[in-house]
Amino acid sequence: MSDKKVLAAPSILSADFGRLAEEVKSIEAAGADWVHVDVMDGHFAQNLSFGPKTVADIRPVTKLVLDCHLMVSNPLDYITSFAEAGADYFTFHVEAAVHSSRVIQQIRAAGMKPGVCIVPGTPVHTLDEIVSEVDLILMLLVNPGFGGQKMIPSCLEKLVKLASIREEKGYHYLLSVDGGITADNASLAVEKGADVIVAGSSFFTASDKAAIVRKLKGI
Ligand code: DX5
Ligand code: ZN
């Protein structure tokens, strides 16, 4: 077993929104490391979830890292409000930003850690010019919009390339995987280079949340 520290980041998209504070507390109680917040604008992703006020309202509820994944068409429009709400990571989609390097600069200037994400249909070389500037690369293993989908296994191969670029160039970004991750396939993602495991439905449907977190982390 590798001694690599793997971080677990349950996604609140699969939580009961009527009991969100409790659900966030259950993430912390289960021993997870981050709270993954899936923000969707109903345009980039054909679903609506939550916005900066939700982040502001859960901020005082947990000490965990708030890992915000913005599936939105205009990420620049949300940087200030998410920074003021207390987001730690602000991950945007490269498909939604012509000027991705400027978005990264503005995220960092606002005091958050910049992350970038690509959907299954986007080739990994799209990131070539910006991998040196980000703190996180989020690999979406499903088409954006909903929890509970099955992982598209070929997407994991993109991690291998990003892990070798990081090694070769000495970059510092974390690699995160998101979508269709379960206790059974998390280790495959870690083998391919994942440092952070996002899990929505497999966490919130688990009868023993602490056990699923240990499995996701490879403990
Ligand atoms: C999909 C979201 C994912 C999703 C993960 O658009 O970005 O984070 O909520 O949920 P599961 O783990 O259920 O696939
Ligand atoms: Zn996500």
Side-chain angles (χ1 to χ4, degrees):
M1 163 126 62
S2 89
D3 54 2
K4 170 172 161 177
K5 177 163 170 38
V6 175
L7 301 172
S11 162
I12 56 172
L13 185 66
S14 302
D16 174 351
F17 294 2
R19 298 184 302 113
L20 199 51
E22 235 175 280
E23 298 274 67
V24 169
K25 285 182 184 145
S26 77
I27 291 174
E28 190 158 359
D33 304 279
W34 293 5
V35 175
H36 186 81
V37 182
D38 280 311
V39 181
M40 290 181 257
D41 63 0
H43 183 254
F44 181 84
Q46 281 66 41
N47 193 356
L48 285 164
S49 57
F50 12 67
K53 186 177 181 305
T54 305
V55 173
D57 288 350
I58 63 174
R59 181 66 283 175
V61 170
T62 180
K63 295 181 299 304
L64 296 184
V65 166
L66 297 184
D67 167 38
C68 296
H69 173 196
L70 279 94
M71 290 164 274
V72 301
S73 295
N74 304 303
L76 271 176
D77 295 351
Y78 300 95
I79 292 173
T80 304
S81 57
F82 273 80
E84 286 169 355
D88 295 289
Y89 281 86
F90 183 107
T91 297
F92 69 99
H93 272 264
V94 74
E95 302 91 348
V98 173
H99 305 297
S100 51
S101 180
R102 175 181 297 146
V103 176
I104 293 165
Q105 288 164 4
Q106 303 222 358
I107 294 167
R108 208 178 284 285
M112 297 180 288
K113 293 182 181 346
V116 67
C117 184
I118 52 175
V119 299
T122 299
V124 69
H125 67 70
T126 313
L127 300 173
D128 282 357
E129 300 307 319
I130 54 173
V131 287
S132 63
E133 301 172 28
V134 295
D135 293 342
L136 179 78
I137 299 178
L138 178 61
M139 198 52 64
L140 244 190
L141 308 177
V142 295
N143 291 302
F146 302 90
Q149 300 178 72
K150 274 188 84 48
M151 174 208 293
I152 302 167
S154 59
C155 294
L156 286 178
E157 294 316 312
K158 300 182 189 176
L159 283 175
V160 177
K161 170 132 192 263
L162 289 166
S164 68
I165 292 170
R166 177 174 62 185
E167 187 71 28
E168 187 192 311
K169 306 267 187 179
Y171 294 148
H172 68 280
Y173 50 82
L174 289 174
L175 287 171
S176 180
V177 287
D178 183 5
I181 294 277
T182 66
D184 301 329
N185 60 28
S187 54
L188 181 60
V190 172
E191 271 161 41
K192 302 261 182 197
D195 306 295
V196 183
I197 303 286
V198 174
S201 45
S202 63
F203 177 83
F204 282 104
T205 56
S207 50
D208 182 342
K209 291 186 166 62
I212 188 86
V213 166
R214 285 194 297 275
K215 288 201 181 114
L216 293 173
K217 288 163 70 90
I219 298 171

